[in-house]
Amino acid sequence: MPIRLENVGIAVRDLEATIAFFTDLGLTVLGRDEVSGEWASTAVGLDGNHARIAVLQTPDGHGQIELFEYIHPDAIETEPTLPNEIGMHRVAFSVDDIDESLAIAARHGCHPLRDVANYQDVYKLTYLRGPSGIIVMLAQDLTTG
């Protein structure tokens, strides 16, 4: 049976700020909706599930993220995820120019956790903390011209 990754879902504190961050990095909004009702509660497993959502896509058309801002039940604040915690904790993007991408992120108050690393002259990469504490990895392939 074939399987295909549809998207990665991320609950966020502020949907508009998170959309602005990711669209400035180059993603486009495919659609927005507000979901609720029995089907939404059943699918997610939360009674009274009600959320504003947006689906964003990478320019190559292959990657998508779905952002949720919960109206009900209330979102649960947690400590920011650390890179070595078990479970899902980051979304990664290939970028053409890591310095330009970091300048865009900085305009949103988002900076590398430490610095930009060089992996064997193949990639320049870094982790940064984006909106709602999302860890975002940015990587620039140094082998392409």
Side-chain angles (χ1 to χ4, degrees), residues 29-44:
V29 177
L30 289 183
R32 295 169 173 251
D33 202 358
E34 191 167 309
V35 297
S36 64
E38 185 59 33
W39 75 269
S41 295
T42 299
V44 177

Side-chain angles (χ1 to χ4, degrees), residues 132-143:
S132 296
I134 301 164
I135 295 178
V136 177
M137 185 184 93
L138 300 174
Q140 178 183 338
D141 186 342
L142 298 174
T143 65

Side-chain angles (χ1 to χ4, degrees), residues 4-141:
R4 178 180 66 149
L5 179 64
E6 192 63 33
N7 64 52
V8 173
I10 306 170
V12 300
R13 189 176 297 118
D14 182 333
L15 185 63
E16 296 309 316
T18 308
I19 289 170
F21 173 80
F22 284 114
T23 56
D24 282 355
L25 282 176
L27 280 72
T28 56
V29 177
L30 289 183
R32 295 169 173 251
D33 202 358
E34 191 167 309
V35 297
S36 64
E38 185 59 33
W39 75 269
S41 295
T42 299
V44 177
L46 292 172
D47 291 335
N49 183 33
H50 185 185
R52 284 186 284 277
I53 66 171
V55 176
L56 288 76
Q57 182 169 290
T58 56
D60 65 3
H62 295 292
Q64 292 183 3
I65 58 175
E66 185 172 343
L67 304 172
F68 316 91
E69 182 181 349
Y70 279 91
I71 298 166
H72 185 270
D74 290 338
I76 300 169
E77 290 286 340
T78 60
E79 292 296 318
T81 303
L82 298 175
N84 62 333
E85 287 184 39
I86 301 297
M88 190 171 142
H89 60 81
R90 72 156 169 78
V91 58
F93 296 99
S94 295
V95 296
D96 292 334
D97 184 333
I98 198 165
D99 295 324
E100 180 183 342
S101 296
L102 287 171
I104 291 167
R107 291 197 296 267
H108 292 268
C110 304
H111 304 281
L113 298 182
R114 182 164 293 161
D115 204 350
V116 176
N118 183 316
Y119 175 71
Q120 299 181 358
D121 291 328
V122 175
Y123 285 100
K124 282 174 50 175
L125 61 124
T126 192
Y127 280 25
L128 61 90
R129 191 158 310 277
S132 296
I134 301 164
I135 295 178
V136 177
M137 185 184 93
L138 300 174
Q140 178 183 338
D141 186 342

